[in-house]
Amino acid sequence: MLRTHTCGELNTGNVEQTVTICGWVDTIRDFGQGKFIDVRDRYGRTQITISPESPEEVKQAVEQFHRECVVQVVGRVKSRPAGQENKKISTGEIEIQAEQAVLLNACQNPPFLPSQVDLPNEDLRLKYRYLDLRRKEMQDTLALRSSVTKGIRDYFEHHGFVDIETPILGRSTPEGARDYLVPSRVHKGEFYALPQSPQIYKQIMMIAGYDRYVQIARCFRDEDLRADRQPEFTQLDMEMSFVDSEDVMGMVDGLIKQLAKDILGIDVELPLPRMTYDEAMTRFGHDAPDLRFGMEIVDCTDVAAKTEFRVFRGVADAGNYVRGINASGAASLFSRKRIDELTTYIQEDFGAKGLAWFKVNEEGELASPIAKNFAAQHLEEIKNKMDAQPGDLLLLIADSWDVSCKALNGLRKRMGAELKLYDEQQMHFSWVVQFPMFDHDAEAERWVAMHHPFTAPLDEDLDRLGTDPGETRAKAYDLVINGYEAGGGTIRIHDSSIQQQVFGLLGMDEEQARERFGFLLDALKYGAPPHGGIALGIDRIVMLFAGLDNIRDCITFPKTQRAADMMTEAPSPVDQEQLEELAIAISKSDS
RNA sequence: GGGGCCGUAGCUCAAUUGGUUAGAGUACCGGACUGUCGAUCCGGUGGUUGGGGGUUCGAGUCCCCUCGGCCUCGCCA
């Protein structure tokens, strides 16, 4: 070892010991006769002192020291003079009097310093990721991520799960997200697909009798990126046999409780609260509502139906909805201009036709350009329904169910953040359950699986499969943290007749189903136990646990929004020879 | 594919709204200084204003195209 101690562990207990530390030069404070050199590694920072009494070789050696170069220092640990302690760092009560100093490796003048106050732009951080990863925040986040994955592995091992790896090179399936494809050299013109999730493999493992499977699995989806979405991400993938929804959720409840305790030091009450999908959409307009604050959606369609205001009346008469939220106390904070911004936002982002609003004045009256269209009695009803108090701002959307959900969810999130209705440190865990089995694809005029085609319907909804597919609810559950979908799972169909029926509803005949999932359908015939599981998004969980607002900051080497790696410059063109070996020709695109 | 914000010194930002030689802090280089810890003080190097085209007597500023980053809708669970 080139060192006896790290830069974070020396304290007054080590005084008068001779030690050797290694690390990067963080800063040099030069006083001519003497210098203070902070040497940093991921454990901390230790001050080295050079004084007129220091050996000549040391003085000469440190002349070559510059920021971020790698050094080794041998010296004696001393208590700092009284009043010169640095209380901000763990090693602040001691310093090392240098007796030997070695430049292990020089450093070019770096584009930015890990310890600088103003962070550089993200593209520069990503290009020089090794410098960015030297930053304490990044090192702390990656350490937290390591604690999360260790906690997960310990928990599942304790509960008798077997950690099993599944292939990265798999078969493309047309369902779900766009696949990343890998050309086969041996089978020219054919492709592997990288897994969107190990979904089918884990079902196969249940059939194979591994009744408790777990894997921390890398997954790939070739879709557009967001602050909380990367093309390559990590799932905690888990599956159990002989279970129903409650068993899977209970297992995850225990995991969440343990992680929250061990990592955040907070006690989480179990079971985690559950809410049905219908309730989530009705009260919050979203299937992953942020429950750290209220501001619930209020349905005013019945009042709207009675008013003379044509916009409201028309929407109500057409069977659509007039719903709104009460941004309590926001009336004075939202000028006409800011309300216009909200209107533009819901129009451009969610296709809403408009935003109706009322400010509640001192007298408790609803004030708005549209107020004159309402009878006093109807304004009173709206006021009562929305529990409007003086100073409140009421925001209403008159539109289809779908648009009103999206727009009100958007408004609610925005208002919640702007009005600071929750503590940034707060964590809220809950379940949303009983998702619909199917979404209706209006364009294609067919049903599509909301989760995946192997999701089991609720027992009490089995009859509806045949009569009313849109009203059939699934044994599906999503874990929600602070308004993010942190994971989702289902109990799978293990009855082949129900599976056939679902395929039928999805517009797949037996032949198509065979073509796509033949191996799974075969496997299901060889003694498939009832089973179900869940996948949790580890990146998102780490992001939330670390209090970050984007997923890139908890991924070591993330991709940019255009799915590029700024450091390696992937993706890149390849040699013509490589293409020929794969029998691939690049067509000239006209775009 | 659509909408929005952004790009000026190595880095973080300014530039009186189209007007002289594009500034500051920091980093870097040199000098001064034994107790600093965002050290301080003095001096210096450093610019294709992302790139290209246009309008204009004159463009960092206005217009068009393009490259890149971020947020977002669609997409994705």
Side-chain angles (χ1 to χ4, degrees), chain A residues 287-308:
Chain A
D287 61 1
D290 190 341
L291 299 180
R292 288 175 298 178
F293 63 101
M295 209 195 287
E296 295 191 19
I297 294 174
V298 179
D299 192 328
C300 296
T301 312
D302 54 346
V303 185
K306 293 186 286 188
T307 68
E308 296 305 313

Side-chain angles (χ1 to χ4, degrees), chain A residues 510-535:
Chain A
E510 213 168 325
E511 196 181 332
Q512 288 170 314
R514 279 222 68 77
E515 194 183 311
R516 291 176 191 182
F517 309 109
F519 61 100
L520 179 63
L521 299 180
D522 283 345
L524 287 168
K525 290 178 191 157
Y526 288 97
H531 62 286
I534 194 166

Side-chain angles (χ1 to χ4, degrees), chain A residues 23 32 44 50 71 91 116 134 173 180 195 200 205 236 274 280 360 380 434 505 544 570 579:
Chain A
I50 310 293
V71 300
T91 60
Q116 79 183 43
R134 286 182 193 168
T173 53
Y180 273 101
I200 289 176
M205 293 313 294
L236 161 68
R274 283 128 207 237
V360 189
E380 195 63 21
Q434 297 180 7
L505 284 164
L544 292 164
L579 291 176

Side-chain angles (χ1 to χ4, degrees), chain A residues 402-419:
Chain A
D402 195 40
V403 169
S404 74
C405 280
K406 285 179 178 173
L408 288 168
N409 171 59
L411 288 172
R412 179 175 175 271
K413 275 169 116 164
R414 203 166 150 153
M415 301 306 279
E418 289 194 27
L419 300 174

Side-chain angles (χ1 to χ4, degrees), chain A residues 24 52 65-66 86 108-109 113 137 166 189 194 246 254 283 287 292 322 325 348 380 423 449 570 577:
Chain A
W24 288 261
F65 283 19
H66 297 278
N86 184 349
Q108 286 185 44
N109 188 23
L113 292 166
E137 289 83 354
T166 53
L194 304 183
E246 287 300 324
R283 291 172 59 192
D287 61 1
R292 288 175 298 178
V322 177
I325 52 173
E348 290 184 350
E380 195 63 21
D423 177 1
E577 286 162 44

Side-chain angles (χ1 to χ4, degrees), chain A residues 5-158:
Chain A
H5 295 79
T6 70
C7 298
E9 65 178 307
L10 295 171
N11 54 43
T12 47
N14 303 96
V15 168
E16 294 305 326
Q17 290 178 11
T18 296
V19 299
T20 308
I21 61 166
C22 292
W24 288 261
V25 172
D26 196 63
T27 51
I28 301 175
R29 294 178 291 280
D30 187 348
F31 287 78
Q33 292 292 307
K35 285 186 211 286
F36 299 99
I37 301 172
D38 287 347
V39 178
R40 185 200 71 236
D41 61 18
R42 77 181 175 89
Y43 306 93
R45 202 154 41 105
T46 299
Q47 176 165 285
I48 309 296
T49 57
I50 310 293
S51 65
E53 294 77 41
S54 297
E56 247 351 275
E57 314 87 81
V58 169
K59 288 183 196 168
Q60 277 177 21
V62 300
E63 286 304 311
Q64 303 307 311
F65 283 19
H66 297 278
R67 289 195 173 198
E68 295 310 310
C69 64
V70 187
V71 300
Q72 179 191 48
V73 175
V74 183
R76 192 176 290 265
V77 180
K78 296 285 182 186
S79 284
R80 294 197 190 182
Q84 297 297 331
E85 302 86 355
N86 184 349
K87 296 194 176 73
K88 290 186 222 160
I89 57 175
S90 63
T91 60
E93 291 185 78
I94 57 95
E95 59 195 8
I96 298 176
Q97 253 178 21
E99 290 165 8
Q100 283 177 51
V102 182
L103 177 67
L104 294 174
N105 207 348
C107 177
Q108 286 185 44
N109 188 23
F112 63 93
L113 292 166
S115 52
Q116 79 183 43
V117 185
D118 291 323
L119 265 186
N121 283 328
E122 196 169 355
D123 46 351
L124 202 77
R125 290 175 53 206
L126 292 175
K127 180 173 179 187
Y128 299 96
R129 191 59 161 173
Y130 36 88
L131 297 179
D132 192 45
L133 291 168
R134 286 182 193 168
R135 291 170 48 237
K136 187 170 191 314
E137 289 83 354
M138 288 305 303
Q139 294 180 331
D140 288 348
T141 302
L142 293 186
L144 186 146
R145 185 175 178 126
S146 174
S147 301
V148 168
T149 51
K150 178 174 191 303
I152 289 171
R153 290 199 166 99
D154 288 350
Y155 179 84
F156 283 104
E157 184 176 317
H158 177 76

Side-chain angles (χ1 to χ4, degrees), chain A residues 491-511:
Chain A
I491 298 298
R492 331 295 180 189
I493 299 170
H494 63 281
D495 178 321
S496 64
S497 69
I498 296 174
Q499 186 67 68
Q500 289 301 335
Q501 203 178 349
V502 169
F503 280 148
L505 284 164
L506 295 173
M508 257 188 273
D509 61 29
E510 213 168 325
E511 196 181 332

